[in-house]
Amino acid sequence: MLLVAVLAGFSVDPGALLPRPAAVPMLLLQIVTCLPATRRWRGAWSLGAQVLLAPWSGLPGFLAASVLLVVEHRVRWALFALVVASGAVWPGNDGGLYATVNGIGNALAQGLIVYALTRLSDLYAELRATRGALAAARVAAERESAGREWDAVLGAALADLVRLAGQGRQSARELAL
């Protein structure tokens, strides 16, 4: 839920009353890209849709994070730098030095924050899955250990009973001693 709240916060333009029309589908695509439950839908199609929506949404940080999340090779950092640099000429930028540096800084910060929170969510989901598997393996190991102990204790007692019965002691009292 924290990730969704951060994404929603990043998608709102502080100077506008309503978000840009393209910001809503961009936010939805980013949610699909970021949540662990929707990881299987993360791919080239979502990245391509974000590339098409990005100029009108005003959210270069979302595109930057998606590049880091979707592209698998080392080239993703070069593409990330390209998207961050494009924050300098993003629509709505008046071309001044402050607006240029602010656009680059916002794209960099938002991209890294969204990427880090997404990876943290992914790692948390993997940890929960691994913890369950480790608990099941530990229970199986404990059962096997208890089975070996029972087998050793009962096996020795039964072997003694068989030995005594083989020696001709027939009464239960002799066998119990």
Side-chain angles (χ1 to χ4, degrees):
M1 291 309 292
L2 174 68
L3 182 59
V4 174
V6 169
L7 292 175
F10 281 156
S11 66
V12 175
D13 190 6
L17 187 58
L18 295 173
R20 296 178 184 177
V24 174
M26 187 75 161
L27 172 64
L28 295 175
L29 282 170
Q30 193 64 41
I31 288 172
V32 166
T33 303
C34 290
L35 292 180
T38 59
R39 181 186 311 174
R40 65 182 178 271
W41 296 331
R42 183 187 303 173
W45 74 270
S46 62
L47 184 61
Q50 283 185 322
V51 167
L52 294 175
L53 286 172
W56 294 280
S57 69
L59 300 169
F62 283 6
L63 180 60
S66 293
V67 164
L68 290 177
L69 293 168
V70 173
V71 178
E72 295 290 330
H73 305 288
R74 292 182 193 219
V75 72
R76 70 181 174 176
W77 288 102
L79 292 174
F80 173 77
L82 183 66
V83 172
V84 167
S86 75
V89 293
W90 213 256
N93 187 346
D94 64 1
L97 179 63
Y98 174 77
T100 301
V101 173
N102 189 38
I104 291 172
N106 285 341
L108 176 67
Q110 288 177 1
L112 289 176
I113 289 169
V114 170
Y115 173 70
L117 286 175
T118 302
R119 288 295 302 140
L120 187 62
S121 295
D122 289 347
L123 291 173
Y124 180 71
E126 290 174 21
L127 174 69
R128 287 186 61 105
T130 303
R131 189 172 63 187
L134 286 175
R138 181 70 180 155
V139 167
E142 286 294 324
R143 285 181 181 162
E144 183 179 332
S145 174
R148 280 194 304 265
E149 288 176 15
W150 275 94
D151 188 43
V153 169
L154 291 177
L158 288 175
D160 287 342
L161 286 175
V162 169
R163 182 182 51 81
L164 290 173
Q167 291 176 356
R169 296 190 176 149
Q170 298 294 325
S171 72
R173 183 171 284 230
E174 290 176 350
L175 290 175
L177 294 176

